[in-house]
Amino acid sequence: MIKQAIIPLAGLGTRLLPLTSVFPKELLPINGKPGIEYIIDECIDAGIKEIIFIISKKKSVIKNYFYNDKLFKKIIKKKKDKRILKEYKKILKYRKMIKFVYQNKPRGTGDAVLKTRKFIKEKYFLILLPDDLIIKKNCTKSMISVHKKYKSSVMASMNVNSKNVSRWGIYNVKKKINKQNFIIQDVVEKPSPINAPSNKAVIGRYILPKTIFNSLSKQKSGKGGEIHITDAIQSLIKNNQMFIGHNFSGKYLDCGTMKGYINSSLEISKI
Ligand code: G1P
């Protein structure tokens, strides 16, 4: 069973400047709710029991968001506002599941994930990248079913416009299992359109084996001088581990870019 999830939150959020100059992008509201809460709700709904947040000292305000008891208690006592009480209870529920781990130097997602090594108990775990909201259908839930059926690692994926491949990790297909699931041959981090092996992009949901920590600890920095999970996954694939790309059926909202972030509130408000 997949019970533990990791959410890397230590990134600088430069694509969303100036919104992120003093405020973490994961707390920016999307249709009236911090983006991170959509990700937590997806986890809870999929049966995840523990979530490991990787933050940095600079982003300690994320931890404060979940530990602001004094303020809530004072306001609730004074105003007896039911809405605030409900919101406070929700935050307490989230808090019970969350553990905080630190990555103080932004050396990439792979390096961030490596910091959680000693906390991962099961053979497989989940990673969710908070820039990627997937609405209308719980992507994590579908990926867990695929994982159970094929006893394999799984990554969320979608077909993208070939002109934009350099925004994502891109993989090519070794074997098509069915309309939504593909055995991956190779995966490469943010290739240029001429070097891209296909137009199948990796979106930020990964079910990975614990053995990835070994690869990550040996992983040299790649694109942009950072350690990428994509590169560690590629070395596992080269070691004959099976990875499935799962073309999810929900709707993808790329909240990591300004255009995508603005659009996400509009899309969610339509549901
Ligand atoms: C990360 C991954 C990339 C993946 C993308 C999905 O990139 O490195 O492989 O396709 O998330 O959103 P980032 O968004 O951190 O630049």
Side-chain angles (χ1 to χ4, degrees):
M1 278 305 275
I2 311 288
K3 293 282 171 221
Q4 289 181 295
I6 298 174
I7 308 182
L9 299 156
L12 300 174
T14 39
R15 287 185 296 226
L16 289 183
L17 277 169
L19 297 184
T20 46
S21 76
V22 291
F23 205 69
K25 62 178 171 185
E26 298 81 5
L27 293 181
L28 290 174
I30 296 173
N31 196 40
K33 170 166 140 177
I36 189 66
E37 291 193 10
Y38 291 92
I39 304 281
I40 302 175
D41 289 341
E42 178 178 332
C43 286
I44 295 176
D45 184 45
I48 296 295
K49 300 291 178 222
E50 184 183 59
I51 305 176
I52 305 173
F53 273 21
I54 308 156
I55 60 170
S56 63
K57 279 189 197 136
K58 275 190 199 151
K59 291 178 88 175
S60 56
V61 66
I62 294 180
K63 189 169 179 185
N64 299 347
Y65 180 78
F66 295 92
Y67 281 84
N68 208 351
D69 300 62
K70 253 193 190 162
L71 173 80
F72 278 106
K73 284 183 179 159
K74 207 169 117 193
I75 303 277
I76 290 165
K77 207 172 152 192
K78 219 166 137 188
K79 296 204 167 172
K80 311 230 174 328
D81 183 323
K82 280 194 185 134
R83 187 191 70 84
I84 300 177
L85 180 64
K86 200 172 143 211
E87 290 291 334
Y88 180 49
K89 281 189 176 156
K90 184 182 70 180
I91 285 174
L92 289 179
K93 182 178 121 191
Y94 288 159
R95 180 163 96 196
K96 272 196 202 144
M97 307 177 63
I98 304 171
K99 198 182 230 134
F100 292 86
V101 166
Y102 287 81
Q103 182 205 29
N104 287 320
K105 290 192 183 122
R107 291 195 180 121
T109 318
D111 176 68
V113 170
L114 191 54
K115 307 270 184 232
T116 67
R117 186 178 200 161
K118 61 172 188 253
F119 302 109
I120 298 300
K121 298 174 205 129
E122 311 282 331
K123 222 172 145 194
Y124 286 88
F125 63 95
L126 171 76
I127 300 178
L128 303 99
L129 302 184
D131 281 358
D132 295 342
L133 291 195
I134 299 169
I135 55 168
K136 293 189 178 160
K137 190 158 187 220
N138 190 320
C139 176
T140 294
K141 228 183 203 173
S142 318
M143 285 171 64
I144 291 178
S145 324
V146 175
H147 163 73
K148 272 190 192 155
K149 185 162 178 193
Y150 298 100
K151 313 259 173 302
S152 149
S153 300
V154 186
M155 299 194 269
S157 73
M158 66 184 275
N159 298 352
V160 297
N161 188 320
S162 312
K163 279 188 279 180
N164 304 329
V165 282
S166 60
R167 163 71 185 89
W168 292 283
I170 302 288
Y171 73 86
N172 59 357
V173 175
K174 184 172 173 184
K175 189 175 168 233
K176 179 175 174 177
I177 302 174
N178 53 40
K179 243 171 47 194
Q180 277 186 292
N181 299 300
F182 308 89
I183 299 177
I184 298 177
Q185 168 104 49
D186 286 295
V187 62
V188 29
E189 181 68 6
K190 303 194 172 95
S192 62
I194 9 169
N195 293 323
S198 81
N199 69 333
K200 283 195 147 33
V202 176
I203 303 302
R205 303 286 183 277
Y206 308 78
I207 292 177
L208 298 178
K210 225 173 150 179
T211 50
I212 191 105
F213 289 114
N214 244 332
S215 313
L216 281 172
S217 65
K218 291 181 213 140
Q219 195 60 56
K220 296 209 174 81
S221 39
K223 263 262 144 69
E226 294 188 352
I227 313 253
H228 296 285
I229 352 178
T230 313
D231 297 334
I233 290 170
Q234 171 68 358
S235 39
L236 289 188
I237 293 173
K238 289 291 129 200
N239 260 324
N240 296 320
Q241 292 227 22
M242 177 158 134
F243 274 77
I244 293 177
H246 171 69
N247 269 18
F248 54 88
S249 6
K251 187 172 172 56
Y252 170 57
L253 303 173
D254 180 8
C255 303
T257 63
M258 193 57 93
K259 202 174 156 204
Y261 168 66
I262 294 166
N263 183 46
S264 61
S265 283
L266 296 175
E267 287 293 339
I268 292 180
S269 70
K270 285 190 219 154
I271 307 177

